[in-house]
Amino acid sequence: MRKSVTLATIALLLGACAAQPGGRPVATAVKPARPDLRSQTVRMTLPPDARTVGDAAEYLLEGSGYSLVLFCKQCPKAAPQLAAEPVSPLAFAKPNEITSATRALLLILGERRRLIVDDQLRLVTFDRIGAGL
């Protein structure tokens, strides 16, 4: 008797939570919030085919929820040129190091470069230090 009362109570509570007015069940998908790029970590290992900054950035951004953008109205004019350059030797200084995603991107870019991150749109691009947008 006690078991059936408990089951009935649970069923009523679940039914109340999962039904809208009119008795139709409601399904809501819960998307876990992805952390911003600064709080994500990566292993500083690049595949052999990631020879350019753009290739390496695409690899490092994979699964992060961020995308590399090189051609847009607000993108720096230098972004496509920087993406076509070879990966900086700084990226290979400490192989297999676990570091933040933003630091890894800065390492592949090399010196005198900056990373531009739009957390709201989840976009990443590059520019030269001292260059204007």
Side-chain angles (χ1 to χ4, degrees):
M1 173 87 164
R2 188 175 204 206
K3 190 175 185 180
S4 61
V5 171
T6 304
L7 290 175
T9 305
I10 291 172
L12 284 172
L13 290 173
L14 290 176
C17 293
Q20 13 171 252
R24 300 184 72 194
V26 177
T28 48
V30 178
K31 290 184 180 179
R34 284 193 171 160
D36 65 25
L37 197 61
R38 287 167 204 70
S39 61
Q40 295 184 39
T41 57
V42 296
R43 183 175 301 275
M44 204 54 225
T45 304
L46 300 174
D49 61 336
R51 295 184 180 155
T52 66
V53 169
D55 293 340
E58 290 281 355
Y59 176 78
L60 290 171
L61 290 171
E62 203 171 284
S64 70
Y66 284 76
S67 299
L68 177 64
V69 63
L70 304 173
F71 301 98
C72 68
K73 189 175 180 179
Q74 286 79 24
C75 288
K77 291 179 183 177
Q81 298 160 348
L82 295 173
E85 290 181 357
V87 174
S88 168
L90 296 172
F92 305 105
K94 294 182 181 177
N96 293 318
E97 174 187 22
I98 295 176
T99 187
S100 70
T102 52
R103 182 173 178 270
L105 290 165
L106 287 167
L107 288 172
I108 65 167
L109 271 170
E111 297 176 354
R112 312 258 330 130
R113 310 286 190 261
R114 68 181 173 147
L115 183 64
I116 301 169
V117 179
D118 184 329
D119 288 316
Q120 185 176 4
L121 297 175
R122 302 183 82 77
L123 299 173
V124 175
T125 193
F126 321 117
D127 201 4
R128 289 186 173 86
I129 291 179
L133 292 175

